[in-house]
Amino acid sequence: MNKPEAPPETGAGGLMDKENDRKQMEGGLYNALFTDETAGEYFKSYDICHEFNSLDPEDEQGRKEILPRLFGSIGAGCRVHPPVRIFRGDLISLSDNVSIGAGTCILATNRVKIGSNTIIGDECSISCAGHPMDKDLRAQGLEYGWPIEIGSDVVLGMGTSVVPGVTIGDGAVIGAGSVVTKNIPAGVYADGNPCRVRRKLRTPEEEERLYGAKAAADADLSDPSEVLCLKMNQIALSDYGTRTEFLKGFIGSMGDDSMTMSPEYIRHADRLNMGIHSFINYDGHIDAAGGVEIRDHVLIAPNPMIDTVILPEDPELRRQGLRYTAKVTIEDGVWMGAGVRVLPGVTIGENSVIGAGSVVTHDIPAGCLAAGNPCEVRRKFTEEDFARYTPDPDVVKDMSEVDREYARIIYHAIIEDIEVDRRIYYGLSDDYGSMLPSAYKERADVAAKIFPIAKGNIEVFGPIIVDQGYNVEADGYVFINHNFILLATNKVKFGKNVLIGPNCVMSCAGHPFNIEERRDDLEYAYPITIGDDVWIGEGCKILPGVTVGSGSVIAAGSVVAYDIPEGVLAAGQPARPVKRISGFKSEE
């Protein structure tokens, strides 16, 4: 792990107190809270990011001019795809020709060095910031920051998380959806949660035999999709009709009753085809260069990533702009859970269900439940599965859809009463995301409208997407980092002193296994409870019906599908208790 260096003499976006900053840069515990006096420096990088992300989508020159203000140093030929979330950009150094994908978040509470020709995929998290295991220290606002170094010619696959103190060696290739918790040596392929070295890099000859073709340059270097998607994302979240018609103008094809929710980040959209009555939820990232076919009645939960591009493992071929492509097909009736990553060449068979957070590296047959990183078939569906959520007609005959929603009985999710509420909260989410980060007092007023019954202070570093925020309770202080998606279709209760890392999804909503019920827009809604003094790491997915016990820590990239007891460190897909937290005592 990296040894922290001495603190800098000057910098932007920080250095609020010399002694506190010395502790921060030496890797010790420091006070991470800001005051009215220090807020301007604290939010400086965030405000520059906001300016960068808010530029006209076609103003590429304007974005280039902002980048030197955002980073401590930046080499020639670097490209940063909006939006990005950067804290303490003065501590980040980029060498030449670094590419950073849309949705990436870098929390540089210590130095971050990224070498030349390194490619960082969409929605990666690179965080020097961590919190102590001791809940009382967390409650005091103490955290630590350890430096991160990413070498030259490195590839971070989409949705990768890099935790504090890690070094990744030159030329290493990190697979999509990985959680890098330890140093990775140079010149290897590594993946997984936690990320482990799998093999040495393939030669061009080995890849040619594997993919049946030579790496080639993209024949379409003038793809307008990125700019058009940024324009689409400027349309109000609640204005489904306008957004859908805009997308139809540049997507390959889109069947009747199909829809996507903003924001979406699609490259080569002319090669993306959607069938009828299919749905892609918020924050989707799709590169359709090799072709993506999403067939009929497909449900895709928030934060999906679908990639058809394979970068050569030989860095020299990457520098030449060469790559492989392979088509992705998602057949009729598939339901993909939150945060699923689908890799090039994959076909997911009809009516299969892919568990949240899965990384789909190979074909999944029809009619299966599959999950994990890598995604593996857990079992074939049975008639008992199909009947699992079907209610007794006598029980529901006099119940409204809203009554059923809160009674944990499948209900019709597309009804006017619920849609009206959603549109209100979409508007508030849009308002919050459009505000300057340093206007934290004004943002707090909007947050109070998003969470109207919360007793405590919920502090959010946007953007945030919340529906039915009137279901959210909080007993005390809750901190939510960037790019949080909360589907509060049932009650969500936070305790006090809760910390949530960037790029997390929390959803009360799920869908039945019976494809006919999914086609009828039926879903279920189970409540979520997060206890006091919980810390949820970056990139976690919290699923319907879960309780996380007080004082527990959920490791980065975890998928919380089952209850977690109090006072434990839990990790994995699905998250399981790894160990008891030393010194934890229950309040009860």
Side-chain angles (χ1 to χ4, degrees):
M1 306 293 271
N2 278 332
K3 182 179 179 180
E5 298 180 2
E9 294 299 321
T10 61
L15 299 188
M16 297 164 281
D17 174 270
K18 286 187 177 180
E19 177 62 19
N20 198 50
D21 198 71
R22 181 190 63 78
K23 294 177 182 178
Q24 175 182 350
M25 298 305 295
E26 290 179 353
L29 291 178
Y30 66 95
N31 189 337
L33 303 178
F34 66 88
T35 66
D36 288 348
E37 291 72 27
T38 61
E41 282 294 289
Y42 186 94
F43 285 104
K44 186 170 184 178
S45 289
Y46 287 148
D47 282 355
I48 296 171
C49 273
H50 187 271
E51 180 185 355
F52 177 84
N53 296 334
S54 301
L55 281 178
D56 185 295
E58 297 188 72
D59 190 0
E60 186 171 348
Q61 182 59 36
R63 285 194 289 274
K64 288 180 180 179
E65 291 172 0
I66 290 174
L67 290 179
R69 294 164 43 208
L70 183 55
F71 296 103
S73 64
I74 183 169
C78 291
R79 188 167 187 194
V80 180
H81 299 265
V84 289
R85 325 290 170 196
I86 306 291
F87 179 66
R88 285 299 301 267
D90 61 300
L91 296 178
I92 302 171
S93 63
L94 306 182
S95 296
D96 294 344
N97 302 313
V98 172
S99 176
I100 297 177
T104 290
C105 176
I106 306 178
L107 303 182
T109 56
N110 210 304
R111 296 183 187 277
V112 175
K113 298 179 182 179
I114 302 176
S116 58
N117 303 303
T118 283
I119 298 172
I120 297 172
D122 283 9
E123 200 99 355
C124 288
S125 292
I126 299 170
S127 179
C128 299
H131 304 280
M133 287 290 176
D134 187 314
K135 65 183 180 64
D136 295 325
L137 294 177
R138 292 201 301 273
Q140 297 173 40
L142 297 178
E143 67 177 41
Y144 58 85
W146 295 347
I148 290 173
E149 185 166 354
I150 300 172
S152 298
D153 295 305
V154 169
V155 175
L156 296 188
M158 58 185 181
T160 291
S161 294
V162 181
V163 307
V166 161
T167 292
I168 300 175
D170 291 348
V173 176
I174 309 298
S178 296
V179 180
V180 188
T181 61
K182 296 181 179 179
N183 293 347
I184 301 296
V188 299
Y189 175 83
D191 66 16
N193 180 7
C195 186
R196 294 187 174 95
V197 175
R198 305 299 178 182
R199 54 176 171 79
K200 65 180 183 180
L201 297 179
R202 294 187 178 114
T203 66
E205 293 75 22
E206 289 172 330
E207 289 187 326
E208 185 177 338
R209 288 195 297 270
L210 180 65
Y211 303 127
K214 290 182 178 292
D218 184 8
D220 181 10
L221 297 177
S222 59
D223 172 40
S225 299
E226 185 172 0
V227 168
L228 291 170
C229 277
L230 291 173
K231 290 184 175 182
M232 179 180 71
N233 292 340
Q234 293 176 340
I235 299 170
L237 192 57
S238 59
D239 193 352
Y240 311 146
T242 300
R243 190 174 58 250
T244 298
E245 289 305 311
F246 188 93
L247 179 58
K248 285 182 177 179
F250 64 96
I251 196 173
S253 64
M254 192 172 188
D256 293 342
D257 295 323
S258 285
M259 186 171 72
T260 69
M261 298 296 290
S262 287
E264 305 288 1
Y265 306 96
I266 306 172
R267 299 185 181 95
H268 302 98
D270 59 317
R271 305 175 201 177
L272 167 62
N273 296 291
M274 293 179 67
I276 63 171
H277 194 236
S278 286
F279 177 70
I280 304 174
N281 217 321
Y282 318 103
D283 198 31
H285 295 254
I286 301 174
D287 191 332
V292 173
E293 186 172 353
I294 298 171
R295 293 184 178 163
D296 301 340
H297 307 290
V298 172
L299 288 174
I300 300 179
N303 189 228
M305 298 186 185
I306 301 172
D307 200 0
T308 63
V309 174
I310 307 163
L311 295 175
E313 294 183 6
D314 184 324
E316 181 56 39
L317 296 184
R318 292 200 300 273
R319 290 190 209 113
Q320 296 174 38
L322 303 182
R323 60 191 190 162
Y324 309 92
T325 60
K327 183 179 180 179
V328 167
T329 301
I330 302 173
E331 295 187 341
D332 294 353
V334 168
W335 166 30
M336 287 169 38
V340 169
R341 283 74 171 114
V342 181
L343 302 195
V346 161
T347 292
I348 301 176
E350 64 180 35
N351 301 337
S352 281
V353 174
I354 309 299
S358 296
V359 179
V360 188
T361 61
H362 54 263
D363 292 352
I364 302 297
C368 292
L369 173 64
N373 180 2
C375 186
E376 301 292 350
V377 172
R378 304 303 179 182
R379 57 186 171 85
K380 296 282 285 186
F381 285 126
T382 65
E383 291 301 320
E384 184 178 353
D385 289 322
F386 297 147
R388 177 175 175 178
Y389 298 98
T390 304
D392 183 334
D394 291 334
V395 171
V396 300
K397 65 181 180 180
D398 296 322
M399 297 178 71
S400 71
E401 299 299 330
V402 174
D403 290 338
R404 291 168 61 162
E405 178 181 8
Y406 292 101
R408 308 189 190 191
I409 297 172
I410 56 173
Y411 66 98
H412 287 88
I414 312 299
I415 62 170
E416 186 60 27
D417 288 349
I418 296 174
E419 281 300 300
V420 168
D421 290 339
R422 284 184 179 134
R423 290 172 191 267
I424 291 170
Y425 282 93
Y426 293 156
L428 291 170
S429 296
D430 277 339
D431 291 345
Y432 197 91
S434 68
M435 300 178 75
L436 201 64
S438 60
Y440 62 96
K441 293 182 179 179
E442 292 80 359
R443 287 192 297 122
D445 292 338
V446 178
K449 295 177 182 178
I450 294 175
F451 305 109
I453 67 169
K455 298 175 185 176
N457 173 28
I458 300 182
E459 183 177 5
V460 183
F461 283 8
I464 182 173
I465 297 175
V466 176
D467 64 5
Q468 297 174 252
Y470 51 75
N471 282 326
V472 180
E473 303 175 28
D475 290 339
Y477 178 70
V478 178
F479 174 77
I480 299 173
N481 219 314
H482 305 284
N483 205 34
F484 182 61
I485 297 174
L486 174 57
L487 306 185
T489 53
N490 206 313
K491 302 298 182 181
V492 176
K493 183 172 182 179
F494 294 108
K496 61 186 179 183
N497 300 322
V498 173
L499 302 176
I500 300 176
N503 293 334
C504 287
V505 177
M506 187 175 293
S507 176
C508 298
H511 302 280
F513 292 141
N514 188 323
I515 180 57
E516 298 303 326
E517 292 173 338
R518 293 204 298 272
R519 288 181 180 183
D520 288 339
D521 298 319
L522 294 173
E523 66 178 43
Y524 58 79
Y526 295 167
I528 292 172
T529 301
I530 309 296
D532 295 342
D533 303 299
V534 169
W535 167 27
I536 298 173
E538 63 196 63
C540 287
K541 312 295 182 281
I542 312 297
L543 303 192
V546 160
T547 293
V548 178
S550 293
S552 285
V553 174
I554 309 299
S558 296
V559 177
V560 186
Y562 308 103
D563 290 351
I564 301 297
E566 64 179 19
V568 300
L569 170 65
Q573 296 176 253
R576 306 283 192 188
V578 175
K579 65 177 182 179
R580 295 287 301 176
I581 294 176
S582 177
F584 174 80
K585 293 182 179 180
S586 174
E587 299 291 333
E588 297 182 1

